[in-house]
Amino acid sequence: MSKIFKLSEDELEDLIPPGGGCIATDLITVDGEPVRYMFREDPHNETDSGWRFFSGTETDSYMEHPENFDVHDLNTLANYDRAIIPYLDMPVGTELERLEGTDTFFTVDEP
């Protein structure tokens, strides 16, 4: 079954310079939920930015199914949620959570 994304190709704008690929859940790209949690890990290859994006509403069961994720261009995710743009230059190891009701993200401190 093919996915129907919330934004069509012709709705995407060039918002950021090329930044590589990223992984996002369908709750963002298909259902249109905002990014509420994002982190950057070591890239898996030279075209991977290392960024991973989540709506924050994914259940454990949802996360167990790889079909609920896709690789996207980082610019594509910027089109889904422009609030992520100021944070995309942050280094590997960055973990951010959205301050509810705002476009501001804060660093998640490890316990």
Side-chain angles (χ1 to χ4, degrees), residues 25 80-81 93 105:
T25 70
Y80 276 92
D81 193 338
F105 286 80

Side-chain angles (χ1 to χ4, degrees), residues 12-105:
L12 300 178
E13 300 175 40
D14 289 331
L15 298 175
I16 60 172
C22 63
I23 297 173
T25 70
D26 290 349
L27 290 177
I28 297 167
T29 59
V30 174
D31 296 349
E33 291 190 27
V35 173
R36 293 185 188 94
Y37 175 74
M38 57 196 257
F39 69 89
R40 192 172 195 182
E41 63 183 5
D42 286 321
H44 292 286
N45 57 49
E46 62 279 347
T47 61
D48 181 11
S49 70
W51 280 109
R52 311 299 179 241
F53 298 95
F54 303 87
S55 74
T57 62
E58 294 86 357
T59 63
D60 289 341
S61 174
Y62 183 91
M63 297 292 286
E64 291 173 3
H65 297 279
E67 64 271 15
N68 291 328
F69 300 83
D70 270 310
V71 175
H72 300 277
D73 185 85
L74 202 50
N75 183 68
T76 299
L77 258 290
N79 275 267
Y80 276 92
D81 193 338
R82 292 175 188 220
I84 69 170
I85 295 173
Y87 305 94
L88 296 178
D89 287 332
M90 295 184 84
V92 168
T94 297
E95 186 177 353
L96 301 167
E97 191 172 317
R98 188 181 215 128
L99 184 60
E100 186 151 351
T102 74
D103 285 343
T104 302
F105 286 80

